[in-house]
Amino acid sequence: MKDLIIDRPALQALPDRLLWAVVTTVFWFIWFYLWLPWITLAAWVLSGYAGYLQYLIYDSQVDNARLFGTYLLVIQALGAVLLGWAFLEWWRFHGRDRRRPSADLTLEQLAAPFQLDPVSLAGWQMARRLVVSHDLHGRVVGAVVSEPALAPR
Amino acid sequence: MNVDLSGLIYGFVFYYPLFMAYIWMIGGLAYYFHYERGALAVTEPMSVLRGVPRVSIIVPCYNEADNVRDVIGHLSGMRYPDYEIIAVNDGSTDATGAILDELAVQDARLRVIHQASNQGKAVGLTTAALMASSEYLLCIDGDAILDHDAIPWLLRHFESGPRVGAVTGNPRIRNRSTMLGRLQVGEFSSIVGLLKRAQRTYGRIFTVSGVVTAFRRSALAQCGFWSPDMLTEDIDISWKLQTQHWAVRFEPRALCWILMPETLRGLWQQRLRWAMGGVQVVAKYLWITREWKARRMLPVLAEYFISVTWAYAMAFVIVMWIAGFFIDLPPRWQISLIPGWHGILIGSTALLQFFIAMLIDRHYDRRILRYHFWMIWYPLAYWMLNMFTTVAALPKVLWRESGKRAVWTSPDRGVHQSAGATKGGADAAAPSRANG
């Protein structure tokens, strides 16, 4: 897996690389700044009254904290609906398959919708190299069979 | 009745992605603990199978001269005893055809189908499905490297479920040299992987990943194989199968390493096609709203429909924000896009979703958590990209000629090389998926 991953920033011009790295880092700092209410809330939970005062002063976010509680309730309700449905379906159908295993298609069944000759199709299914032609709607109309060979150089 | 329209629109723009993100996280974690975690201890993938049915690996290629040797070379070493490789040269104008003929001489497992002209991926796949000598078809893209143990992981679902019509694997991004590449590493965990897990928890999925999916041929035959006119053949085949009551599953251990665009232009082209394909499919399957038997697909349809609505609502919010600089808007219509309490909440939610998704995917992509650092950009850059592509996609689909053949050339494959190619994949097509 490791050798499949192409992570070579050097393929970009150095200014591009630096620009994206710097801008991304700046973005993270902006995010940390915007997260101050969360950080303050965490400080309040962990250390008590002083943190609470700071949280209260910061943009009057206490109402938002109540709103946050409402969001949590909505998320719980949505999650319960999804998981409840999934459990119900699993309970009803687990290990019980109403569809019988289908037999593999016969050549005739495969060829019929395309109006192909089953004998020809059988030959094409064994061929190593085919040149296939189609009609205007993209349906197979014929094929020429040949053995693989190296192209003349 | 006095309806607060501004409150409705602004509330929808905020609450929809917020709450959907938690549904994806809860569903993803439920899938992980119920279906995934137990099998992580399996060290011998062949032990999960009862039989060894023959498998046909199908690789559609259009101008893949730069990649096809690596792709076919890797497929030659699959750890599975009975398989064939069918490479479809879809009328390539480069050396793809000659290289495939050369490789077929060297590898007896490789069969080559040359299409006389460029027909598109859907026609290539259908042609290969007809010519295949087995019931199980594993379709990958012409630039994708399939993990050597992928076959047994995918096949076990067909063995255990007679109504399983398709199993989609776990695409992982290879090219991570640029910020765009790294963002997509997180996106494919958080938006593709986590959503598929959550959707499997529900029971239906929006789309398989066109880059790596195994199919039961009899299921494909029943629903008429792939549609040549659909821009995202993978979304369409997922809906065809599921509306015919075939199950579609996700297998996170079937890894497939893929290349993605690393230029903004390439990314825009790709995402616009994905968005157009999503809209095209949803329009095609609107009939399920009148069909009781297809009711289990309704939530998936509704989620996509709401996502498209969200994109337009978000675009409206941006317009109102810009208008606010020039026009004295009524107070209720005034809005700021500078992140405040709401912005932080939704941004933190997005980062949490990335973290959870990467935590799950670290079992398959061990150093993935290091890319979380770059995800800070996602809410800004990617949500906007997905929003604009969706807004642009809807009119393009409405004005698109009905039945027109879907043939496209893929954008760049990252900074390590540049090439055009046929390529599928329509995950993360909708804005709410970008949001959560």
Side-chain angles (χ1 to χ4, degrees):
Chain A
M1 177 201 101
K2 203 174 168 185
D3 56 331
L4 291 175
I5 293 172
I6 306 158
D7 191 349
R8 289 182 291 168
L11 291 168
Q12 297 174 90
L14 184 63
D16 284 351
R17 251 190 302 163
L18 285 176
L19 178 72
W20 288 122
V22 168
V23 173
T24 304
T25 308
V26 169
F27 253 83
W28 271 106
F29 277 109
I30 293 171
W31 274 81
F32 284 131
Y33 171 75
L34 292 168
W35 276 330
L36 271 180
W38 295 95
I39 295 166
T40 318
L41 179 64
W44 168 56
V45 171
L46 294 173
S47 63
Y49 192 64
Y52 174 73
L53 272 183
Q54 195 182 347
Y55 180 69
L56 189 66
I57 293 163
Y58 191 91
D59 204 20
S60 302
Q61 299 284 5
V62 166
D63 284 346
N64 286 331
R66 289 201 191 98
L67 200 57
F68 184 63
T70 311
Y71 292 163
L72 275 180
L73 284 176
V74 174
I75 291 163
Q76 283 172 14
L78 290 171
V81 169
L82 175 64
L83 298 182
W85 168 264
F87 176 76
L88 192 67
E89 290 283 279
W90 180 83
W91 179 70
R92 284 178 67 194
F93 300 114
H94 181 66
R96 272 170 277 173
D97 230 315
R98 289 187 293 189
R99 188 183 286 251
R100 281 173 296 176
S102 58
D104 291 1
L105 286 176
T106 62
L107 271 172
E108 288 73 20
Q109 288 170 326
L110 192 59
F114 296 89
Q115 295 169 330
L116 295 170
D117 172 27
V119 178
S120 300
L121 186 59
W124 298 340
Q125 289 186 349
M126 303 295 288
R128 297 279 322 281
R129 184 181 186 278
L130 290 155
V131 179
V132 179
S133 47
H134 301 80
D135 66 11
L136 287 174
H137 306 289
R139 294 162 73 96
V140 174
V141 290
V144 177
V145 175
S146 60
E147 276 302 302
L150 289 176
R153 291 178 188 269
Chain B
M1 193 173 69
N2 190 15
V3 178
D4 180 8
L5 190 60
S6 61
L8 275 178
I9 295 172
Y10 296 163
F12 171 60
V13 166
F14 171 66
Y15 288 115
Y16 177 63
L18 179 77
F19 291 135
M20 283 308 294
Y22 286 99
I23 290 180
W24 301 136
M25 284 186 264
I26 291 167
L29 284 169
Y31 178 93
Y32 173 73
F33 285 111
H34 185 75
Y35 294 109
E36 192 171 348
R37 192 175 59 156
L40 289 173
V42 176
T43 53
E44 179 42 67
M46 285 300 292
S47 68
V48 301
L49 288 179
R50 290 193 298 269
V52 189
R54 185 170 172 76
V55 173
S56 301
I57 302 176
I58 297 173
V59 192
C61 307
Y62 176 60
N63 289 352
E64 294 287 2
D66 290 334
N67 300 301
V68 78
R69 284 182 196 279
D70 281 349
V71 172
I72 301 295
H74 217 81
L75 289 176
S76 298
M78 297 300 288
R79 284 190 277 269
Y80 190 77
D82 190 9
Y83 70 97
E84 64 175 356
I85 307 163
I86 302 178
V88 183
N89 170 30
D90 186 14
S92 298
T93 52
D94 66 359
T96 302
I99 294 171
L100 287 173
D101 283 341
E102 182 189 325
L103 293 171
V105 173
Q106 297 160 9
D107 186 345
R109 281 180 163 147
L110 177 61
R111 300 171 56 204
V112 182
I113 297 173
H114 295 278
Q115 299 196 146
S117 59
N118 182 219
Q119 298 284 338
K121 186 177 173 184
V123 173
L125 290 171
T126 301
T127 304
L130 279 174
M131 306 303 173
S133 63
S134 69
E135 169 72 356
Y136 299 107
L137 315 174
L138 201 178
C139 305
I140 66 167
D141 275 357
D143 61 347
I145 303 288
L146 189 64
D147 185 79
H148 284 140
D149 291 318
I151 295 177
W153 286 121
L154 292 164
L155 273 187
R156 73 188 188 117
H157 293 277
F158 296 114
E159 269 192 348
S160 66
R163 54 186 277 275
V164 174
V167 185
T168 186
N170 188 357
R172 315 298 320 161
I173 307 285
R174 288 181 64 197
N175 48 329
R176 307 170 177 192
S177 301
T178 65
M179 191 199 72
L180 284 180
R182 290 167 182 174
L183 279 175
Q184 290 173 96
V185 173
E187 182 187 32
F188 268 67
S189 272
S190 179
I191 312 302
V192 177
L194 201 68
L195 259 70
K196 281 200 172 60
R197 287 179 175 93
Q199 288 171 344
R200 274 308 304 156
T201 296
Y202 163 69
R204 298 289 184 277
I205 70 169
F206 179 75
T207 182
V208 296
S209 293
V211 69
V212 53
T213 302
F215 296 94
R216 191 190 294 272
R217 187 162 63 178
S218 48
L220 290 171
Q222 191 191 331
C223 65
F225 293 94
W226 289 269
S227 308
D229 59 334
M230 302 306 284
L231 284 161
T232 47
E233 85 298 329
D234 45 2
I235 307 182
D236 181 61
I237 200 70
S238 310
W239 282 73
K240 270 186 171 179
L241 289 167
Q242 291 178 112
T243 51
Q244 292 281 332
H245 310 292
W246 288 98
V248 177
R249 291 188 184 172
F250 172 58
E251 176 47 69
R253 276 143 300 193
L255 304 176
C256 189
W257 299 89
I258 63 173
L259 297 169
M260 293 296 280
E262 283 186 297
T263 64
L264 277 174
R265 181 188 162 86
L267 202 59
W268 170 265
Q269 286 174 350
Q270 184 193 55
R271 298 312 164 95
L272 181 62
R273 184 177 66 78
W274 288 7
M276 286 176 68
V279 173
Q280 203 182 24
V281 167
V282 165
K284 179 179 173 182
Y285 289 93
L286 275 177
W287 60 265
I288 71 163
T289 54
R290 302 184 302 274
E291 184 63 56
W292 176 248
K293 284 185 173 177
R295 63 191 179 281
R296 282 184 167 78
M297 288 302 286
L298 278 177
V300 186
L301 182 87
E303 193 272 318
Y304 192 84
F305 186 78
I306 298 170
S307 294
V308 174
T309 311
W310 182 90
Y312 277 90
M314 187 65 213
F316 175 77
V317 167
I318 292 173
V319 169
M320 294 303 283
W321 176 59
I322 295 169
F325 290 107
F326 305 101
I327 306 167
D328 190 19
L329 293 168
R332 67 163 57 175
W333 286 102
Q334 289 172 7
I335 189 160
S336 169
L337 289 186
I338 307 300
W341 166 257
H342 293 89
I344 292 311
L345 190 57
I346 205 164
S348 306
T349 298
L351 290 179
L352 177 66
Q353 182 179 334
F354 276 112
F355 184 70
I356 287 174
M358 288 175 160
L359 216 52
I360 294 174
D361 270 333
R362 80 187 190 287
H363 296 294
Y364 320 109
D365 192 346
R366 294 195 184 284
R367 301 171 80 185
I368 193 171
L369 275 166
R370 61 158 58 183
Y371 297 100
H372 194 267
F373 173 76
W374 301 92
M375 295 306 120
I376 199 78
W377 277 95
Y378 196 93
L380 184 76
Y382 255 57
W383 292 3
M384 291 301 108
L385 177 72
N386 283 298
M387 181 204 71
F388 284 120
T389 51
T390 305
V391 168
L394 184 61
K396 282 175 93 73
V397 169
L398 291 177
W399 288 322
R400 185 179 163 82
E401 185 188 331
S402 175
K404 184 181 174 184
R405 184 75 62 84
V407 180
W408 69 90
T409 302
S410 277
D412 67 278
R413 261 99 167 232
V415 295
H416 71 293
Q417 65 178 54
S418 61
T422 299
K423 199 171 165 187
D427 297 302
S432 95
R433 289 169 176 77
N435 299 338

